[in-house]
């Protein structure tokens, strides 16, 4: 299950907890989810909200150049951004940029871009597009590359993700 960024940004933890509790109660009644799975999901949501607060605090303290670049990478995940160009945008060498980015964000720019592509593709998987079309639109070499990246980040394949979303929508 994935919680949309906009939901987390627009909903405080108490309201989210109430919504989740109601949804989980229905999901358990309908046999879509077990009590144990529901409790794990509630813990994950709590962690998302705690992590969000920590990230927001950290982003305020982050180097402005890195912050601007991460905002651009998040806004346009399907775009190709060469490391040299990103480094030039903040007037540093590419090697310094790579070290600075990884120490600030916790991952390389490449992994950050892949993660953002997968997050955006999750919302596109709701549309009436095929997995192949979405993988091409998000800038992956082929559908196999997309499937591997998706499974590594989300934990399930794109087709499993679509099926689980449909099942959840039917259950509610």
């Amino acid at each position: 299950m994935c919680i949309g960024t906009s939901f987390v940004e627009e909903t405080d933890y108490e309201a989210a907890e109430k919504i989740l509790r109601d949804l989980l109660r229905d999901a358990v009644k309908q046999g879509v989810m077990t009590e144990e799975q529901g409790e794990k999901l509630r813990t994950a949501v709590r962690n998302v909200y705690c992590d969000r607060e920590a990230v927001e605090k950290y982003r305020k303290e982050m180097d402005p150049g890195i912050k601007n670049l991460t905002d651009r990478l998040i806004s346009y995940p399907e775009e190709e951004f060469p490391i040299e160009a990103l480094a030039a945008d903040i007037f540093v060498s590419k090697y310094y940029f790579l070290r600075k980015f990884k120490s600030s964000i916790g991952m390389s720019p490449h992994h950050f871009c892949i993660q953002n592509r997968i997050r955006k593709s999750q919302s596109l998987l709701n549309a009436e597009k095929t997995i192949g079309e979405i993988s091409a639109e998000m800038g992956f070499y082929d559908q196999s590359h997309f499937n591997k990246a998706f499974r590594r980040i989300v934990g399930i394949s794109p087709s499993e993700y679509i099926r689980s979303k449909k099942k959840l929508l039917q259950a509610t």
Side-chain angles (χ1 to χ4, degrees), residues 20-45:
L20 184 61
R21 192 175 37 249
D22 294 342
L23 289 172
L24 289 175
R25 185 180 54 245
D26 293 342
V28 169
K29 279 182 188 175
Q30 296 172 7
V32 175
M33 184 178 281
T34 67
E35 295 262 353
E36 182 182 337
Q37 290 170 323
E39 192 53 43
K40 286 181 181 179
L41 183 58
R42 287 180 66 198
T43 301
V45 169

Side-chain angles (χ1 to χ4, degrees), residues 45-165:
V45 169
R46 192 174 316 115
N47 291 339
V48 165
Y49 276 89
C50 290
D51 289 348
R52 180 175 170 263
E53 290 172 11
V55 166
E56 287 304 314
K57 180 182 176 201
Y58 184 74
R59 281 181 62 81
K60 289 177 184 173
E61 300 167 0
M62 186 186 300
D63 177 272
I66 297 293
K67 183 180 181 310
N68 289 339
L69 291 178
T70 58
D71 290 344
R72 187 177 347 149
L73 295 172
I74 290 169
S75 297
Y76 305 102
E78 63 280 354
E79 297 286 324
E80 285 292 326
F81 294 102
I83 296 297
E84 293 81 5
L86 293 172
D89 286 350
I90 59 171
F91 308 105
V92 296
S93 75
K94 73 177 186 177
Y95 301 107
Y96 181 79
F97 168 72
L98 288 169
R99 285 192 308 274
K100 182 99 170 147
F101 192 94
K102 187 162 185 169
S103 70
S104 295
I105 305 301
M107 64 182 78
S108 71
H110 174 74
H111 284 109
F112 187 77
C113 289
I114 296 294
Q115 187 176 50
N116 285 302
R117 287 178 182 183
I118 295 301
R119 295 294 175 224
K120 184 171 181 180
S121 71
Q122 286 179 285
S123 64
L124 295 175
L125 286 170
N126 299 334
E128 296 297 319
K129 294 181 181 180
T130 67
I131 295 171
E133 290 170 334
I134 292 169
S135 68
E137 185 177 324
M138 294 311 308
F140 287 92
Y141 302 116
D142 56 27
Q143 187 173 335
S144 174
H145 182 228
F146 173 71
N147 287 344
K148 286 177 188 172
F150 194 96
R151 183 180 291 276
R152 187 176 61 249
I153 291 169
V154 179
I156 57 175
S157 71
S159 55
E160 289 172 314
Y161 180 81
I162 292 168
R163 279 195 302 274
S164 67
K165 277 198 89 141

